[in-house]
Amino acid sequence: MAHYAIGDIQGCFDEFTALLATIGFNHGTDTLWLTGDIVNRGPKSLEALQFAMKHESSIQTVLGNHDLHLLAVSYGFGRIKRGDTIAPVLEHPDSKKMLGWLQAQPLLVQNDTHVLVHAGLLPEWSVEKAAELAREVETELQSGDARGYFANMYGDRPRCWKNKLEGYDRLRMITNVFTRMRAVTRKKNKLDYEFKGRPDEMPENLIPWFEAADRRHLSHTTVFGHWSALGYVNDHRVIALDTGALWGGQLTSVNLATNEIAQVFSKSGLHWETAL
């Protein structure tokens, strides 16, 4: 029995199934964490979502920003952008069932040693605090007022966390930390939404969220995706797994017990082969 994690699929379903074959994944005994963003931009968002649903006894995912984008569009908020590949999900006869399943997924999953999120954890949040805040958003998503949540989900404010935040400002901030965060300011851990490049390209006033001082969630190793320019990292008590399969890079898995990684090259990249 093995427990794996795989980075953002984003509709790269062929690469995903090839990676499962590479690691010899057994749905009867093994378990898998996905870092979110099952859907969008890649060619087979529908197939990736259907597969995760079919195998929910062995596969667990968290919500990513692209997953939330799909849900928001289904509620009439946001818009389908150029390059989006979510239309097949929205137009499918079983779309209501699929969207309902996706909406019921968490923002955070944890075990005794690791915590799974899409983008990261704010430095001042302990794992326990983060789990409480994730439940606030999850409760809203699964309530009768989910429409109000999606109507107010988009936006870059507020940028600084305060415990006294209320209403949709609070829910938006929590959502943005879990699903959009990459860099924070050196002072006050203020979220920066513009920077998407490599850490060595960061302006002087910014740092990766996992390099901030006095992080309070070091009781667990944080497993995340979202930041494709960052690539694979296993350091600082974090495991970053978005290695840019969507952009011609690789799709990456890690065995969380042994830290052994496996990768397959993207079909849209220079090669289509297995790499270890």
Side-chain angles (χ1 to χ4, degrees):
M1 181 176 181
H3 183 37
Y4 299 94
I6 290 180
D8 303 25
I9 298 170
Q10 288 200 249
C12 297
F13 181 66
D14 291 343
E15 291 85 342
F16 177 49
T17 54
L19 184 53
L20 291 180
T22 297
I23 62 178
F25 188 82
N26 187 320
H27 288 285
T29 57
D30 299 334
T31 53
L32 173 64
W33 279 356
L34 301 177
T35 61
D37 279 0
I38 294 176
V39 301
N40 209 17
R41 302 294 179 84
K44 294 186 177 180
S45 291
L46 173 63
E47 291 86 345
L49 179 56
Q50 289 174 324
F51 188 91
M53 290 178 63
K54 179 180 179 181
H55 297 287
E56 62 180 347
S57 62
S58 55
I59 297 177
Q60 208 168 10
T61 188
V62 289
L63 289 167
N65 54 301
H66 284 281
D67 305 316
L68 289 171
H69 172 59
L70 166 59
L71 291 169
V73 171
S74 77
Y75 273 85
F77 302 103
R79 57 182 179 82
I80 296 181
K81 304 172 185 176
R82 181 180 180 182
D84 282 354
T85 59
I86 56 176
V89 178
L90 296 167
E91 296 166 0
H92 194 277
D94 291 331
S95 63
K96 185 175 181 179
K97 179 180 179 180
M98 289 187 286
L99 293 167
W101 181 88
L102 189 63
Q103 192 167 329
Q105 301 312 301
L107 285 170
L108 178 150
V109 174
Q110 68 180 103
N111 59 22
D112 291 340
T113 56
H114 294 77
V115 57
L116 174 72
V117 292
H118 178 60
L121 297 179
L122 206 62
E124 57 262 45
W125 292 353
S126 67
V127 172
E128 292 75 17
K129 177 69 172 179
E132 291 175 5
L133 296 173
R135 283 193 292 271
E136 289 186 27
V137 175
E138 292 160 8
T139 298
E140 191 76 9
L141 280 169
Q142 295 161 33
S143 74
D145 194 34
R147 183 175 180 81
Y149 167 84
F150 287 115
N152 292 276
M153 181 184 74
Y154 292 105
D156 295 343
R157 294 286 189 274
R159 290 177 180 252
C160 287
W161 173 253
K162 296 179 181 178
N163 286 322
K164 65 181 181 181
L165 284 173
E166 296 180 343
Y168 289 120
D169 280 347
R170 182 180 179 90
L171 294 172
R172 188 185 311 109
M173 178 73 183
I174 296 169
T175 301
N176 284 341
V177 169
F178 281 125
T179 67
R180 297 181 61 202
M181 180 174 64
R182 295 183 183 92
V184 297
T185 59
R186 291 182 181 274
K187 296 181 179 180
K188 298 184 179 181
N189 295 329
K190 182 179 179 181
L191 269 64
D192 177 90
Y193 296 107
E194 286 74 38
F195 183 81
K196 299 181 180 180
R198 300 191 311 268
D200 61 4
E201 300 171 326
M202 275 189 178
E204 183 63 28
N205 66 314
L206 300 179
I207 54 173
W209 64 266
F210 53 83
E211 292 185 6
D214 301 321
R215 286 166 55 209
R216 298 182 183 178
H217 44 258
L218 297 178
S219 59
H220 293 62
T221 296
T222 303
V223 182
F224 69 102
H226 182 60
W227 193 351
S228 59
L230 178 65
Y232 176 74
V233 174
N234 192 337
D235 198 6
H236 299 286
R237 297 283 283 178
V238 300
I239 301 177
L241 286 173
D242 186 352
T243 48
L246 178 66
W247 310 109
Q250 301 86 34
L251 188 66
T252 299
S253 72
V254 62
N255 183 317
L256 291 176
T258 66
N259 284 326
E260 179 181 4
I261 69 167
Q263 295 179 314
V264 295
F265 285 102
S266 170
K267 277 190 170 182
S268 60
L270 296 176
H271 304 284
W272 170 237
E273 62 187 271
T274 301
L276 294 175

